[in-house]
Amino acid sequence: MKLVFATNNLNKLAEVQKMLPDSIELLSLKDINCLEDIAETASTLEGNAQIKANHITNNYNYNCFADDTGLEVDALNGEPGVYSARYAGEPANAENNMQKLLHSLENEANRQAHFRTSICLNLNGEQHLFDGVCKGEILESKQGEKGFGYDPVFKPEGHEISFAEMSAEEKNKISHRGLAIQKLVDLLSTLA
């Protein structure tokens, strides 16, 4: 089965490909020659995932899934949330986003946060929504070199290291995206 993952993020693409059964050929936006920027204008993660998946299905006629992920920090009333990728402004830059987050939490005792991923799958004329949540806390400084985005400043609950210090396999077992993708994989495996 060919399935488009509506992303240009090669890190996410590689992370997800490792989790899918071999029977699924994962295609990126580049693979289907989708070069336009798909505006994420919804006020929710679910809404943005739906916008991206629907764009591919409606304009390219592929089975497709899209995700949107947000880091929601308790002390910041859920920010950056749906704006996580561009928290520090344009152009989107992970380093600037982390620095803004760490600065916003200076002298803050409550560092509880969670990552949330919403996935929208358009498959054979039906739409399915999945979500995954990983609770944890924001560290006081960056730790680790692996991963991407906020991974160096996020320590998942029950662990002593950041996402950026974990192997891809370790992270995928517990991460928000890993949990949401597992729900997607469970559904796809019933069809294979």
Side-chain angles (χ1 to χ4, degrees):
M1 173 196 301
K2 288 188 177 183
L3 186 62
V4 175
F5 182 12
T7 186
N8 286 312
N9 184 324
L10 297 179
N11 292 309
K12 283 203 303 193
L13 195 71
E15 194 174 89
V16 169
Q17 181 66 69
K18 289 177 184 171
M19 301 174 69
L20 294 175
D22 293 338
S23 59
I24 296 173
E25 181 184 350
L26 195 61
L27 303 173
S28 70
L29 292 177
K30 184 178 178 186
D31 292 332
I32 63 166
N33 209 28
C34 175
L35 306 175
E36 64 265 28
D37 188 29
I38 304 169
E40 298 178 29
T41 56
S43 60
T44 64
L45 299 172
E46 296 85 356
N48 281 335
Q50 287 175 304
I51 286 171
K52 292 185 281 188
N54 291 342
H55 180 87
I56 300 308
T57 300
N58 295 338
N59 293 291
Y60 294 85
N61 202 30
Y62 276 97
N63 286 325
C64 171
F65 71 96
D67 77 324
D68 198 21
T69 295
L71 175 63
E72 299 171 347
V73 180
D74 291 3
L76 301 177
N77 299 313
E79 287 184 6
V82 73
Y83 305 107
S84 293
R86 292 169 177 77
Y87 186 46
E90 292 288 351
N93 178 299
E95 182 62 32
N96 292 346
N97 289 338
M98 282 186 285
Q99 292 307 321
K100 179 176 180 179
L101 177 64
L102 293 175
H103 180 74
S104 297
L105 290 175
E106 279 180 357
N107 305 315
E108 177 59 58
N110 179 5
R111 301 185 79 83
Q112 296 300 305
H114 60 271
F115 270 116
R116 193 161 63 88
T117 292
S118 291
I119 293 177
C120 175
L121 169 67
N122 289 344
L123 184 67
N124 304 328
E126 293 185 5
Q127 189 166 86
H128 307 269
L129 295 173
F130 310 96
D131 69 319
V133 174
C134 181
K135 295 181 180 181
E137 65 182 78
I138 304 300
L139 298 166
E140 294 191 8
S141 61
K142 296 190 310 179
Q143 294 179 16
E145 301 295 324
K146 300 175 191 149
F148 57 95
Y150 294 92
D151 286 358
V153 297
F154 184 81
K155 182 177 81 168
E157 200 172 75
H159 295 269
E160 294 304 315
I161 58 175
S162 76
F163 270 165
E165 295 172 290
M166 294 180 174
S167 69
E169 293 76 22
E170 289 175 298
K171 179 184 169 188
N172 286 342
K173 285 179 187 170
I174 62 165
S175 78
H176 46 293
R177 186 172 298 105
L179 295 171
I181 291 291
Q182 190 56 56
K183 293 175 185 177
L184 170 77
V185 168
D186 290 347
L187 175 73
L188 293 174
S189 65
T190 67
L191 308 173

